Amino acid sequence: MRQINAIAVAIFLVLVLVLFAFTPRNTEMMQARFLGLIAPLLKNGSSLQKQIVGFREGMKKLNALDAENKQLRVELDELKAKDQTLQGLEAENNQLRRALQFRERSAFKLVPARIIARDATSWWSTIKLDKGSNAGIEPDQPVLTEDGLVGKTTVVAGNASAVLLITDENCGVAATVEGTLERGMVRGTRTSTAATPDLTLDFLSKLADLKPGEKVYSSGVGGVFPAGVLIGEVKRFEVEPLQGTASVIPAVDLSTIEDVFIVTGGGK
């Protein structure tokens, strides 16, 4: 009985306190305290939201910049490719202009020809041209470029001809050295490397004392090669027991030539 009375009294007191707590004034005080407690959280939440929005906007800008960067790289590569093409066309145009000018001022009758075949096993020995007997080409006619001597024709067919290069040991050219009375024979040398082989100028006097850079020209002796065609320049001179000999660098880069001229006559 006493326990029931105690519980009833406790419930009554709680109800009184609740009624007192929810009076208008107390309610306002509680709301104020609650807002004071959550205000920092609301402030921090707003700042965090702004940061999230800013981060999202930054990511959008970064993605846009990345896409623009990729597009610019593509355009740059395209421009580089076009530039390389233009440079190649300009170089080819300059080469053709030089060849045309050489042909116009040449004292020889020249037939232009293009290299159509090379054998890797005889790279420094022979080439095949797209002109033959149908164009008036015959065996033992000199082949040259505006830079100098290339070789001579050998086997000639209707629409093609083979050329023996001056770097082949079987192609001998009678030669002279500028500014001297020295005369000799230029021949090719065998090589096992990919580099252009030097030529050898034999039958010089032991007192020749040739200097590097001196020009070597065809002398015209022998009747195949006309006089005055540049063969190359002296690389070094050596004295051997019976003669002087010189190493000669070819004037024409035989590894890259594409177009040549065949000499078909001694005058225009």
Side-chain angles (χ1 to χ4, degrees):
M1 189 69 178
R2 289 181 179 178
Q3 291 180 348
I4 295 173
N5 291 334
I7 293 172
V9 172
I11 293 173
F12 175 76
L13 291 175
V14 170
L15 291 173
V16 172
L17 290 173
V18 168
L19 290 174
F20 177 78
F22 280 94
T23 62
R25 179 176 179 80
N26 289 339
T27 300
E28 292 177 358
M29 292 176 62
M30 292 178 65
Q31 289 176 348
R33 290 178 181 176
F34 179 74
L35 291 175
L37 290 173
I38 67 172
L41 297 177
L42 292 174
K43 183 177 180 181
N44 292 337
S46 177
S47 177
L48 180 61
Q49 183 179 11
K50 290 180 180 179
Q51 292 180 10
I52 292 174
V53 172
F55 177 75
R56 288 177 177 174
E57 293 297 327
M59 288 299 295
K60 289 180 180 178
K61 291 181 180 179
L62 183 61
N63 291 335
L65 288 173
D66 183 58
E68 183 180 3
N69 182 264
K70 290 179 180 178
Q71 180 61 31
L72 289 175
R73 286 183 179 277
V74 171
E75 293 178 3
L76 179 60
D77 291 340
E78 183 180 359
L79 288 174
K80 286 181 178 180
K82 289 181 178 179
D83 183 61
Q84 290 293 332
T85 302
L86 290 175
Q87 288 182 10
L89 290 174
E90 182 179 10
E92 184 179 6
N93 187 46
N94 291 336
Q95 176 69 20
L96 292 174
R97 185 181 294 110
R98 288 180 57 203
L100 180 60
Q101 292 173 349
F102 171 74
R103 185 184 182 187
E104 289 176 345
R105 69 174 184 269
S106 175
F108 312 116
K109 290 182 179 179
L110 303 177
V111 174
R114 191 170 184 83
I115 297 174
I116 56 175
R118 298 189 77 154
D119 189 345
T121 61
S122 58
W123 190 263
W124 305 114
S125 296
T126 60
I127 56 177
K128 188 176 182 180
L129 305 181
D130 64 350
K131 296 293 175 61
S133 57
N134 292 341
I137 309 304
E138 299 177 357
D140 287 332
Q141 289 182 329
V143 178
L144 45 80
T145 72
E146 64 274 17
D147 293 322
L149 192 60
V150 171
K152 66 177 181 178
T153 58
T154 54
V155 180
V156 177
N159 295 313
S161 57
V163 174
L164 185 66
L165 301 175
I166 58 172
T167 45
D168 187 278
E169 60 185 351
N170 295 313
C171 184
V173 185
T176 183
V177 182
E178 67 170 345
T180 73
L181 298 176
E182 293 294 329
R183 294 178 180 272
M185 181 68 69
V186 171
R187 292 187 182 278
T189 56
R190 291 193 179 188
T191 179
S192 58
T193 66
T196 304
D198 291 338
L199 307 172
T200 299
L201 176 57
D202 293 323
F203 307 119
L204 301 170
S205 72
K206 293 198 275 187
L207 301 177
D209 192 27
L210 302 183
K211 306 297 182 185
E214 290 183 326
K215 304 296 184 183
V216 179
Y217 295 90
S218 57
S219 65
V221 176
V224 175
F225 300 98
V229 180
L230 181 63
I231 299 174
E233 62 179 40
V234 174
K235 182 177 182 180
R236 62 178 177 273
F237 174 76
E238 298 177 350
V239 177
E240 297 183 351
L242 300 178
Q243 64 176 357
T245 183
S247 178
V248 177
I249 303 172
V252 179
D253 185 354
L254 299 175
S255 65
T256 60
I257 55 172
E258 297 178 351
D259 300 282
V260 297
F261 292 104
I262 305 171
V263 180
T264 60
K268 292 186 177 180

